[in-house]
């Protein structure tokens, strides 16, 4: 190759023109920077395996450098950084990254929209949410690549929660929309960097966390600083996504775009069984947190409030109304499907 290149620099114009193209225009490795909402311990499960697989398969054609929560930019600035091209791709929910779209309120935990992890891919792939998300993000220069179901939303607290009254005054780290909904029950939503949560619970700055299921509580260390796990949840599955800067996405060859999609879908599948199995195993065999419950008759008040909340959101815009209607139709269909296929 060295000899050939030397020849091309010294040979006549005609010879150089006929031979130069393959060597001189060889494509360099495409390099992306992706930041996840997750800290290092959680990222080991929720994104790193997929990125490692992609990098291994793509080889010299493309490599993605993965960064963890708040490493390059604060999580609340992820969308803007991606839109501007400061980073190339993001793994997050719409809510946490402060996406300026009509669908942002539905990211993360929209109360009681999903009961089980499989609800999310069905809603996106069969009930039309994929098309709505793609359209909304195209308006702001971002490619919505893939949506997946992740863990449920439960309270992990220092003091036991056995009634709605026990929620009053509790300072809780949670998602923006979840916090907006829960505040009517006296919860005080607190926003902090993800990596600061464990210490904030230890120092008393936080009374608890409504961010995840029990699998995540054990994985990231929150089970070490909280004493109780509330079995009632406000959502059975988080809605999270992979996104990319639209221009960066367009620069990637179609074959590698397809590989990205496949690896991201595999990531969603990994999360489904990892969370699902962990939720059961740690409730049964875990030793760090005592399980508590709010009686169904009382928890019905929360579910009724969620339906009112849905209607309030639907009144805000035509797009939001369309998404809420899809949630209503889907939940009605699942309720009719009944046992043994479906509980709820």
């Amino acid at each position: 190759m060295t000899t050939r290149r030397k020849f091309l620099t010294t040979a006549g114009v005609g010879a150089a023109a006929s031979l130069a193209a393959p060597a001189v225009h060889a494509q360099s490795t495409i390099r992306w920077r992706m930041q996840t909402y997750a800290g290092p311990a959680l990222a080991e499960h929720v994104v790193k395996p997929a990125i490692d697989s992609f990098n291994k398969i793509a080889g010299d054609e493309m490599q993605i450098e993965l960064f963890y929560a708040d490493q390059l930019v604060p999580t609340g600035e992820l969308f803007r950084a991606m839109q501007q091209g400061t980073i190339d791709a993001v793994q997050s929910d719409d809510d946490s990254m402060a996406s300026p779209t009509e669908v942002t309120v539905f990211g993360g935990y929209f109360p009681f929209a999903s009961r089980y992890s499989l609800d999310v891919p069905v809603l996106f792939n069969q009930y039309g949410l994929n098309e709505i998300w793609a359209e909304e993000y195209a308006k702001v220069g971002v490619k919505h690549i893939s949506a997946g179901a992740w863990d449920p939303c439960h309270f992990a607290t220092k003091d036991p929660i056995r009634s709605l009254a026990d929620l009053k005054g509790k300072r809780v780290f949670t998602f923006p929309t979840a916090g907006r909904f829960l505040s009517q029950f006296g919860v005080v939503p607190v926003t902090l960097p993800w990596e600061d949560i464990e210490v904030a619970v230890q120092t008393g700055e936080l009374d608890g966390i409504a961010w995840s299921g029990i699998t995540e509580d054990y994985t990231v260390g929150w089970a070490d600083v909280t004493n109780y796990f509330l079995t009632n949840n406000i959502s059975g599955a988080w809605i999270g996504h992979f996104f990319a800067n639209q221009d960066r996405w367009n620069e990637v060859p179609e074959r590698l775009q397809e590989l990205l999609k496949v690896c991201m879908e595999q990531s969603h599948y990994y999360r489904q069984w990892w969370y699902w199995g962990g939720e059961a195993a740690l409730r049964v065999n875990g030793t760090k947190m005592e399980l508590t419950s709010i009686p169904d008759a009382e928890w019905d008040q929360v579910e009724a409030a969620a339906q009112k909340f849905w209607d309030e959101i639907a009144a805000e815009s035509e797009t939001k109304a369309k998404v809420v209607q899809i949630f209503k139709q889907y939940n009605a269909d699942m309720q009719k499907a009944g046992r043994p296929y479906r509980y709820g």
Side-chain angles (χ1 to χ4, degrees):
M1 181 60 70
T2 301
T3 302
R4 186 165 181 260
R5 285 176 177 164
K6 184 177 180 181
F7 167 75
L8 290 174
T9 61
T10 58
V13 175
S18 63
L19 295 173
V24 174
H25 297 293
Q27 187 174 359
S28 59
T29 302
I30 299 169
R31 298 193 181 277
W32 272 14
R33 298 196 302 172
M34 172 186 285
Q35 184 170 310
T36 174
Y37 75 98
L42 182 60
E44 283 292 328
H45 293 280
V46 302
V47 65
K48 190 174 183 296
I51 300 306
D52 287 346
S53 292
F54 176 86
N55 288 340
K56 184 176 181 179
I57 298 169
D60 291 339
E61 291 183 80
M62 183 170 176
Q63 291 289 292
I64 298 174
E65 186 176 6
L66 181 63
F67 295 88
Y68 303 126
D70 306 307
Q71 214 171 352
L72 293 179
V73 298
T75 297
E77 298 176 15
L78 276 176
F79 175 85
R80 293 299 183 192
M82 173 175 51
Q83 185 187 45
Q84 295 166 3
T86 305
I87 54 179
D88 304 295
V90 165
Q91 180 203 37
S92 178
D93 63 279
D94 319 72
D95 208 16
S96 295
M97 70 175 189
S99 167
T101 70
E102 288 293 310
V103 296
T104 296
V105 70
F106 304 109
Y109 296 119
F110 191 64
F112 299 103
S114 60
R115 303 279 181 165
Y116 304 100
S117 59
L118 279 174
D119 290 343
V120 175
V122 173
L123 280 161
F124 274 83
N125 294 308
Q126 296 184 355
Y127 277 71
L129 293 192
N130 261 335
E131 291 75 13
I132 296 173
W133 258 250
E135 182 179 347
E136 286 299 308
Y137 279 95
K139 295 175 183 176
V140 290
V142 167
K143 169 68 177 178
H144 175 254
I145 303 172
S146 178
W150 303 347
D151 56 334
C153 184
H154 292 261
F155 283 87
T157 54
K158 296 173 75 171
D159 297 323
I161 304 295
R162 295 191 173 94
S163 70
L164 290 180
D166 292 334
L167 293 175
K168 292 180 180 178
K170 293 292 189 293
R171 294 159 297 175
V172 174
F173 174 65
T174 190
F175 293 83
T177 298
R180 175 180 166 183
F181 172 68
L182 290 168
S183 62
Q184 65 187 289
F185 301 102
V187 172
V188 180
V190 178
T191 300
L192 290 170
W194 193 91
E195 288 289 352
D196 294 345
I197 303 310
E198 185 173 345
V199 173
V201 175
Q202 289 176 302
T203 61
E205 185 177 356
L206 289 174
D207 299 304
I209 303 155
W211 177 272
S212 68
I214 200 168
T215 305
E216 195 162 315
D217 291 333
Y218 272 76
T219 301
V220 306
W222 294 339
D224 297 323
V225 296
T226 56
N227 303 313
Y228 299 93
F229 179 85
L230 182 65
T231 60
N232 311 74
N233 69 55
I234 66 162
S235 173
W238 188 36
I239 300 176
H241 314 265
F242 287 98
F243 305 93
N245 175 282
Q246 186 68 63
D247 291 337
R248 297 291 80 75
W249 175 263
N250 293 342
E251 292 167 3
V252 174
E254 187 175 353
R255 187 179 69 82
L256 292 178
Q257 289 179 352
E258 194 64 24
L259 178 59
L260 276 166
K261 292 177 184 177
V262 169
C263 290
M264 290 169 181
E265 286 299 318
Q266 176 60 27
S267 177
H268 295 317
Y269 176 65
Y270 179 109
R271 294 183 70 133
Q272 281 197 321
W273 62 257
W274 178 66
Y275 275 124
W276 186 267
E279 297 301 305
L282 290 170
R283 287 192 191 199
V284 175
N285 302 311
T287 59
K288 295 180 180 180
M289 306 172 81
E290 180 182 334
L291 304 185
T292 64
S293 298
I294 295 174
D296 289 345
E298 192 174 359
W299 192 249
D300 285 346
Q301 298 175 44
V302 182
E303 297 214 24
Q307 294 302 310
K308 182 179 178 182
F309 184 75
W310 286 20
D311 290 337
E312 291 172 359
I313 298 298
E316 294 178 356
S317 76
E318 184 178 340
T319 298
K320 289 177 182 177
K322 187 175 180 180
V323 174
V324 168
Q325 184 54 43
I326 288 172
F327 283 141
K328 287 184 175 181
Q329 183 62 58
Y330 177 75
N331 277 275
D333 290 348
M334 293 300 104
Q335 197 71 25
K336 290 175 183 176
R339 297 178 175 86
Y341 170 69
R342 172 89 173 187
Y343 290 86

